[in-house]
Amino acid sequence: MRGSWAFRRLISRKNLVWRYHDGFPHLFASVHPLNTTISPAQPAEQPVDAFASTRFVLVEPSHPGNVGAAARALKTMGFSRLVVVAPKIPFVTREPEAIAMASGADDVLASAQVVETLADALSGVHWSIALTARTREYGPPQMAPRPAVAKACEQGRGGGAIALVFGNERVGLSNADVERCSAIAHIPANPAYSSLNLAQAVQVLAYELRLALLDRPETAPVAAAESTIASAPSDEIEGMYAHLEQALVALDFLDPANPKKLMSRLRRLFSRSGLEHEEVNILRGIAKHILLRVKR
């Protein structure tokens, strides 16, 4: 019964209802969403220090100087957690150019984590913002930096870890990387000359996030936690998508040889609702039973 209630809550956030068509249940858009009551979350025992915990993730950076300058940008805004994904130059944080450009933020640079994949960088993260210079046909909701970091702060108050993700200097983030994130942010720069280098983009987002965090009343973390439930961690959601894809293939609903954009569309749908831990478990339960039924 509890699973049915939580699934109804998820569907109601998308304004969807079950209706029968050709003898089978389908989901349709509804003008009148289901009337449900969301139970408040329990306040976290200890408020999360967002300045210390927020991850700034650089995906495949090419130039050591940009990594060092990004570390400097973090420290000037009070942040300290830098994560580098598959840098083009191994041991990039030890490069003389990186150290020189850090210019006093050597501690942030030295403590930077270097990982192989974005999945590793986002492990345990509940809300992530992908910074991109171009619009995407698919992917999570698109926002300006200020509302994006405001949403990130809400997740932080609910006890969730947050991350800001930046792409390679030349090609930016891949579509797959963008789809792994919770939201897209685009800096509304001068359209006639919108070129920002990596460290400048990091500085802008770090500044916006700092303002949002400092603007919170001292009592906000506990008060907001009573009404905010953190989204499920990134690794849980990715596991759910893999499980769901297996189930759709087993049903012959998804053709692996010609998948079109089905999974991208499903990612976009669920990213708009903001999946919680229990909802991820429900969807995985559905996928599990589909696979069990198909194997009979």
Side-chain angles (χ1 to χ4, degrees):
M1 292 297 293
R2 181 170 176 79
S4 175
W5 168 81
F7 187 68
R8 282 176 174 270
R9 187 178 68 183
L10 166 63
I11 297 303
S12 71
R13 291 209 300 272
K14 295 300 303 155
N15 290 356
L16 300 175
V17 294
W18 290 108
R19 292 178 186 162
Y20 280 83
H21 178 69
D22 294 334
F24 295 92
H26 296 270
L27 286 173
F28 290 88
S30 173
V31 176
H32 303 288
L34 297 176
N35 183 18
T36 59
T37 302
I38 299 176
S39 299
Q42 295 300 317
E45 293 182 2
Q46 295 292 334
V48 177
D49 181 0
F51 283 100
S53 65
T54 297
R55 305 178 201 181
F56 286 76
V57 181
L58 311 183
V59 179
E60 299 181 4
S62 301
H63 305 294
N66 284 335
V67 176
R72 180 179 182 180
L74 262 64
K75 189 167 184 176
T76 59
M77 294 296 111
F79 300 99
S80 59
R81 192 166 182 183
L82 180 65
V83 183
V84 184
V85 178
K88 299 297 183 182
I89 299 177
F91 308 108
V92 66
T93 58
R94 304 179 192 174
E95 287 288 312
E97 184 181 355
I99 296 171
M101 292 299 292
S103 186
D106 310 63
D107 53 339
V108 175
L109 187 63
S111 63
Q113 297 172 275
V114 179
V115 298
E116 295 183 359
T117 67
L118 181 58
D120 296 328
L122 296 181
S123 178
V125 168
H126 297 76
W127 184 265
S128 54
I129 302 171
L131 191 76
T132 178
R134 62 184 189 276
T135 58
R136 310 286 177 128
E137 181 180 3
Y138 299 100
Q142 302 189 36
M143 309 178 185
R146 193 156 295 176
V149 298
K151 180 67 175 178
C153 286
E154 289 179 17
Q155 289 293 318
R157 288 195 291 267
I162 59 179
L164 281 66
V165 182
F166 304 83
N168 172 268
E169 295 93 330
R170 186 174 64 86
V171 298
L173 292 168
S174 68
N175 288 334
D177 288 341
V178 169
E179 289 182 358
R180 191 177 284 271
C181 296
S182 311
I184 294 174
H186 172 72
I187 297 173
N190 176 10
Y193 187 71
S194 59
S195 177
L196 289 171
N197 73 21
L198 176 58
Q200 289 171 333
V202 171
Q203 187 76 76
V204 171
L205 267 293
Y207 170 74
E208 290 289 351
L209 184 55
R210 178 178 177 82
L211 288 186
L213 291 171
L214 293 179
D215 192 47
R216 298 183 304 178
E218 291 184 3
T219 57
V222 173
E226 293 177 351
S227 59
T228 301
I229 301 175
S231 298
S234 173
D235 34 350
E236 285 188 12
I237 293 176
E238 290 303 314
M240 180 273 292
Y241 283 131
H243 203 174
L244 185 59
E245 185 172 2
Q246 292 174 13
L248 295 175
V249 170
L251 285 172
D252 292 328
F253 189 82
L254 172 62
D255 180 1
N258 187 27
K260 298 183 180 179
K261 294 290 184 180
L262 177 60
M263 292 308 300
S264 293
R265 290 179 184 275
L266 288 175
R267 282 176 174 270
R268 183 173 63 180
L269 184 152
F270 287 124
S271 68
R272 287 201 297 265
S273 65
L275 291 171
E276 298 165 10
H277 171 74
E278 184 174 317
E279 294 163 349
V280 168
N281 286 342
I282 291 169
L283 292 168
R284 293 204 69 162
I286 294 171
K288 175 183 175 181
H289 282 274
I290 288 173
L291 290 170
L292 289 173
R293 181 62 62 90
V294 170
K295 289 178 180 178
R296 290 180 181 178

